[in-house]
Amino acid sequence: MTVTPAALTRTAGLCAAASGLIYGLIQFIHPDETLEVVGTGAWAFTSFLTMVMAVLGLAGLTGLYLRQVRAAGVLGLVGYLFLGGFYLTVVSFSLIEVLVLPELTDDAPRFVTSFLGIFAGEDTGDLGAVTVANPVAAVLYLAGGVCFGIASFRARILSRWASVLLAAGTTAALAVPLLPHAAARMAAIPVGVALIGLGIALWRDPRPAGGAADAVAARPDTLGVR
C-alpha cells in the first residue's frame, strides 16, 4: 500500500465530513445531563461518539487547513488553532464523561451533578477552575469557526457556501444562552452541514496546496463562486 499526499488529503476530507455528520446526529440522540442517566448505555454511547467526532474533526480540520494553507493566511491559522483547541477540549471532557463520572455516581453524586451543570448551563457548585471550561470552549468554537470560515471563503479553494455556513453557524452559538438547552443543541446543525460540505470538497480536490490552480483561485478578481 502506497501512502500519497492525495490519499491522506482525501482521508482528511472523509474525516471532516464524518465529523460533521456525527456532530449533527449527536444533537438528536444525546440524553439529558442528569445523574440518573450517567452510567447508562445511552450515556456511554453518546460520550464515546462525541469523542470520535472530535478526533475525526481535528484530523479533518488539519487536512482542510493544509489544503489551503497559503491562501488562508494568518486568519486561517488562527481559525485552525482555535477550532483545534475546541476539539481537544471536547475529547478531554468526553473522556471524563465516559470513564470517570459513571464511577462517581454513588460515592460523589453532588460532584457529578455539578460537573454536568458546566455544559448544561445549570448550577456547578464549587468546582473551582474547571468551571471556566464552558466559556473557554465557547470562545474557541466561536472564534475558530468564524475565522476559519472567513479564511476559507477568501481562499476560494474549498466550497465557499460551506465556508460561509461554518462562520454563520458558529456565530449562532451566541444565541445558545438565551434558549432552552434542548433547543440550543440545534444550533450545531449548520456547523455539521458545513463540515460535511468542506469535507466533500476536500475529498474531490486533494491537490497539494500552493499550486497554480490555487494561485488563480485566490486572486481577488476571480469570479467563480463554488
Side-chain angles (χ1 to χ4, degrees):
M1 177 180 178
T2 302
V3 179
T4 64
L8 290 175
T9 302
R10 287 183 182 274
T11 301
L14 292 177
C15 287
S19 176
L21 182 61
I22 296 173
Y23 190 41
L25 175 64
I26 288 172
Q27 312 313 317
F28 294 98
I29 66 173
H30 200 293
D32 295 333
E33 286 92 346
T34 62
L35 181 65
E36 294 74 21
V37 174
V38 175
T40 63
W43 179 265
F45 177 74
T46 52
S47 297
F48 178 75
L49 199 61
T50 300
M51 186 166 51
V52 171
M53 176 277 298
V55 172
L56 290 174
L58 184 57
L61 181 67
T62 300
L64 293 171
Y65 173 65
L66 292 178
R67 174 64 184 86
Q68 53 185 343
V69 59
R70 294 185 181 180
V74 175
L75 190 63
L77 175 60
V78 172
Y80 169 72
L81 293 176
F82 274 65
L83 267 185
F86 167 75
Y87 282 130
L88 291 175
T89 302
V90 172
V91 170
S92 301
F93 274 82
S94 295
L95 281 173
I96 295 175
E97 289 179 349
V98 73
L99 297 178
V100 178
L101 294 188
E103 304 299 324
L104 299 177
T105 53
D106 293 331
D107 298 331
R110 182 177 178 182
F111 171 83
V112 175
T113 301
S114 298
F115 189 91
L116 295 176
I118 293 176
F119 293 99
E122 300 173 354
D123 182 27
T124 58
D126 186 20
L127 292 182
V130 73
T131 57
V132 304
N134 191 32
V136 168
V139 170
L140 292 173
Y141 179 76
L142 176 61
V146 171
C147 290
F148 197 81
I150 293 175
S152 298
F153 178 81
R154 294 174 59 186
R156 297 174 179 263
I157 293 174
L158 299 175
S159 172
R160 302 190 78 198
W161 70 262
S163 301
V164 172
L165 189 58
L166 177 62
T170 49
T171 303
L174 292 173
V176 167
L178 306 176
L179 301 172
H181 187 54
R185 286 190 174 278
M186 296 302 103
I189 303 301
V191 176
V193 174
L195 289 173
I196 293 174
L198 289 170
I200 292 175
L202 183 63
W203 180 81
R204 294 177 59 185
D205 186 8
R207 293 170 297 174
D214 288 358
V216 173
R219 284 171 48 191
D221 59 345
T222 302
L223 298 179
V225 177
R226 296 170 182 246

